[in-house]
Amino acid sequence: MNFQQVMQHEYVDFAGIEESYFLLGLLSAFDNRFQAVADKMIQVVSWKQFFAIICINMCKESPTIKELAEIMGSSHQNVKQILLKLEKKGFVEICTDAQDKRKQRVSLTQTCLEFCVENDERSMQALTAMFEGISREQLQITIQAIMQVVDNLKKL
């Protein structure tokens, strides 16, 4: 469904809706649709689990669960549940921090790293297809706008 079809949908009246409200709805609907497609594509892990893997992999050192929750924009409890499922699959290890026994650090296993390598090309193909027809400038503007909204949200 393209933008014009959405705006003219027979079940919904978008007339007069403020752009910021429309964008929030669009982002929420996108998140749902993307998660469904990604879950089908990845199959071995859910999109949320794969997102956790991506975030852990980008960290300079093994993050704590609290740090990972902050990076992912989720609660400690939700991230812990995601990590426990990944741990059962042999994709992450959760260990007590050497300096502070109250903290738990997360690292990716060799099994996980191999899974990522095996699926990298397919992921890149999907991303390329998903962003087809969108210029680098459009992406940068969208990223800047969403980052500003995130900064504003933190102030609330």
Side-chain angles (χ1 to χ4, degrees):
M1 195 178 293
N2 66 31
F3 179 75
Q4 292 304 321
Q5 289 171 319
V6 169
M7 294 304 289
Q8 297 169 357
H9 198 282
E10 64 183 289
Y11 301 114
V12 183
D13 180 11
F14 290 109
I17 189 169
E18 187 179 323
E19 287 89 354
S20 58
Y21 290 127
F22 184 78
L23 179 58
L24 285 175
L26 193 61
L27 289 171
S28 294
F30 167 79
D31 183 48
N32 293 335
R33 288 185 180 103
F34 178 76
Q35 185 172 338
V37 169
D39 285 351
K40 282 182 188 174
M41 232 178 80
I42 302 168
Q43 294 180 346
V44 175
V45 294
S46 71
W47 163 246
K48 289 185 180 193
Q49 292 168 354
F50 194 59
F51 182 58
I53 290 168
I54 292 167
C55 292
I56 295 165
N57 198 36
M58 290 177 21
C59 291
K60 294 176 182 175
E61 62 179 344
S62 297
T64 64
I65 296 175
K66 181 180 178 182
E67 290 166 344
L68 184 59
E70 188 175 315
I71 293 165
M72 292 177 64
S74 191
S75 71
H76 183 279
Q77 295 86 344
N78 286 343
V79 171
K80 178 76 178 208
Q81 290 305 310
I82 290 168
L83 293 174
L84 290 174
K85 289 175 185 172
L86 286 170
E87 187 177 44
K88 281 184 183 176
K89 293 177 184 191
F91 278 44
V92 300
E93 291 179 348
I94 303 171
C95 302
T96 303
D97 183 90
Q99 280 78 37
D100 187 342
K101 303 292 182 206
R102 297 170 295 173
K103 295 179 181 180
Q104 291 182 304
R105 294 203 172 268
V106 186
S107 58
L108 302 178
T109 64
Q110 188 61 38
T111 301
C112 183
L113 295 173
E114 290 169 8
F115 169 80
C116 291
V117 169
E118 291 168 8
N119 289 280
D120 188 52
E121 185 177 331
R122 193 167 58 135
S123 295
M124 292 309 293
Q125 289 172 347
L127 278 176
T128 299
M130 191 168 79
F131 288 99
E132 185 177 331
I134 300 171
S135 70
R136 183 178 177 144
E137 181 183 26
Q138 289 172 309
L139 280 174
Q140 289 173 344
I141 290 168
T142 303
I143 290 167
Q144 288 172 353
I146 292 174
M147 288 179 75
Q148 182 64 53
V149 171
V150 169
D151 286 346
N152 293 344
L153 188 59
K154 288 177 184 176
K155 296 174 188 173
L156 295 179

